[in-house]
Amino acid sequence: MPVLTDTWKCRLSGAARGAGRIIPAVLVASASIDGLAVVWRAVFPSSPPPIAAIAGQVDHQVDLAKGFAIDCVTTYLTASTTQAANLGRCFPHPDKLSMPTTPALIVSSPTAYTSQPAHPRDDVTTYGVMVAVTEQPYPTARPARAYYQIPVGIYRNASPRALDNLARVDPPPPGVDLELGYPVTIAANTALSTMLSGFITCYLTKAPGLERFITTDSGLRALAGYANTTITGVQAATNPPDNPADNTELPVHIDVSARRPDYTQIDLSYPLTLRSVGGNWFVAQIDAIPVMGDTTPTPVQSTTQGGSS
């Protein structure tokens, strides 16, 4: 084993002492830099990602894809040989599309929804769009609901184009039945039912006095579109307290039979939130979604074939 000379021993000892001074200095400097970075980010925070702008852009593209798909599907279904040029603005190969000499269908009530967009490619975002339309071969024929799938590409967020011809497809599968969460039946001769009857009469007909049945912040205004109304059922989410404290809320559900001025009847349902003021109940709002029960959803069995209504 080689023996270190005194000269090399001195050199190594000096290097160790130098490293001992340099390493702490480096650590201190690094910590200072990190600290300055933290302070800088606190004083000058990074701009948040443009989530709202991105969401708005996506919504714009979805609306554009759906509107364009509806336009293309209805144009093709109602086209005749004299309107072949119209298909060129939708489809990449309009010359391959067959058309009757006279329009074969009456198409109405189109709706559309899109699948998740595919990853953009060369500035093009693609959507699978399902378009539902009501078809009739002649005005007095029985309407039939039909579903068509069409892929749409949006170029640079603004320019739509069908990627292929449309395809007739099955309707979406049926959903589930959910029980509503209003287990308490309210008798017709109670003060609560009487208040609700007065509310729905003043809300749907020309009867005056709606303000007597609503809270000041409800924002409700009379519709006056019906001749008369009758409540056929009232249910509540819980038992109404006899002496409710102010601002106590109670979800209720009412079934209504309303008669139009032309004497036709229509059945309506209203999920409502009631609020107590001075010991009395008032309608605070019409709920967009009713209270749902805790029961297991029941899948609906399909009873119709695709395309029938």
Side-chain angles (χ1 to χ4, degrees):
M1 180 175 179
V3 179
L4 294 174
T5 64
D6 291 339
T7 300
W8 275 104
K9 288 179 179 180
C10 290
R11 290 175 178 174
L12 293 174
S13 178
R17 288 194 299 272
R21 291 190 296 268
I22 293 172
I23 291 174
V26 170
L27 293 175
V28 170
S30 298
S32 299
I33 292 173
D34 290 340
L36 288 173
V38 171
V39 173
W40 182 270
R41 288 195 296 270
V43 177
F44 303 102
S46 300
S47 299
I51 296 176
I54 294 172
Q57 177 178 305
V58 172
D59 289 343
H60 166 73
Q61 287 193 126
V62 169
D63 290 342
L64 183 59
K66 290 193 297 185
F68 182 76
I70 288 174
D71 183 22
C72 291
V73 169
T74 55
T75 296
Y76 181 41
L77 294 178
T78 59
S80 62
T81 51
T82 60
Q83 301 166 317
N86 288 340
L87 301 181
R89 59 187 173 80
C90 288
F91 300 100
H93 303 291
D95 55 306
K96 296 182 179 180
L97 301 179
S98 301
M99 285 167 289
T101 54
T102 58
L105 288 173
I106 300 170
V107 173
S108 60
S109 304
T111 60
Y113 64 89
T114 65
S115 63
Q116 290 294 324
H119 293 295
R121 173 185 174 184
D122 298 330
D123 293 331
V124 177
T125 303
T126 57
Y127 294 86
V129 186
M130 177 83 79
V131 177
V133 298
T134 297
E135 297 179 345
Q136 293 173 276
Y138 49 90
T140 58
R142 181 188 178 191
R145 200 68 173 162
Y147 296 82
Y148 295 89
Q149 179 177 286
I150 181 172
V152 175
I154 306 295
Y155 179 61
R156 292 185 176 177
N157 306 322
S159 303
R161 181 76 168 167
L163 305 176
D164 196 3
N165 189 19
L166 53 87
R168 177 75 179 265
V169 294
D170 289 333
V176 296
D177 285 334
L178 295 171
E179 293 294 332
L180 299 184
Y182 304 93
V184 179
T185 298
I186 306 299
N189 58 352
T190 61
L192 182 57
S193 287
T194 301
M195 185 278 292
L196 290 170
S197 179
F199 160 73
I200 205 65
T201 296
C202 294
Y203 182 62
L204 292 180
T205 74
K206 295 180 179 180
L210 179 63
E211 67 280 355
R212 294 179 293 138
F213 305 103
I214 60 177
T215 60
T216 55
D217 62 347
S218 71
L220 296 173
R221 294 180 297 176
L223 300 180
Y226 297 87
N228 61 46
T229 63
T230 302
I231 287 185
T232 59
V234 180
Q235 287 79 37
T238 58
N239 280 304
D242 292 332
N243 297 297
D246 278 357
N247 296 317
T248 299
E249 292 191 343
L250 176 68
V252 301
H253 182 277
I254 61 175
D255 293 312
V256 180
S257 178
R259 181 171 61 81
R260 295 191 180 101
D262 63 359
Y263 294 95
T264 58
Q265 295 288 137
I266 183 170
D267 295 315
L268 306 170
S269 294
Y270 286 89
L272 306 171
T273 293
L274 308 185
R275 187 186 307 147
S276 65
V277 180
N280 297 311
W281 294 108
F282 297 86
V283 176
Q285 68 179 30
I286 298 174
D287 300 330
I289 304 295
V291 176
M292 308 309 299
D294 295 329
T295 57
T296 302
T298 304
V300 177
Q301 299 299 318
S302 178
T303 58
T304 60
Q305 297 180 345
S308 63
S309 60

